Every structure is written in C-alpha cells, then in structure tokens.
Amino acid sequence: MLELLDRVLNKGVILSGDIIISVADIDLVYIGVKLLLSSVETMEQLKSGKPIIL
C-alpha cells in the first residue's frame, strides 16, 4: 500500500467523474469533478519542464 502511494505521488494521477442529483427523473444538480493528486516536487518538476526521474 505504501509503495502504491509513493508511486502515485511520484507520477501523479488524475481522477474525474460526474455527480448528478435527480428527483423523479428530473436532474436538479450536475457536478463535474476533476482531482489531481501529486507531490509538490513532481508538480514543480513538471512546471519547470524537467523530466521526472523514477
């Protein structure tokens, strides 16, 4: 588990999804969700254009 978390933080991961709340088949609320999970060091390397070394 710890190895998986380390790998995710080193490479980064993007999760996306949709949430729709409806009553009687009438959509009331639609929420689009995008989540980026990464370490600060990885994001700084991507921002500066440096390659990520694993």
Side-chain angles (χ1 to χ4, degrees):
M1 182 73 173
L2 190 58
E3 187 175 322
L4 176 65
L5 180 61
D6 185 48
R7 186 177 194 97
V8 166
L9 290 176
N10 280 337
K11 287 193 168 205
V13 66
I14 298 174
L15 302 173
S16 63
D18 299 322
I19 300 171
I20 301 172
I21 299 174
S22 61
V23 174
D25 290 332
I26 298 173
D27 295 342
L28 301 175
V29 177
Y30 171 81
I31 301 172
V33 179
K34 291 185 181 178
L35 175 70
L36 172 63
L37 179 63
S38 179
S39 69
V40 173
E41 182 180 353
T42 302
M43 291 305 296
E44 287 177 349
Q45 287 177 352
L46 288 172
K47 185 177 178 182
S48 67
K50 295 179 184 174
I52 299 173
I53 299 172
L54 300 177

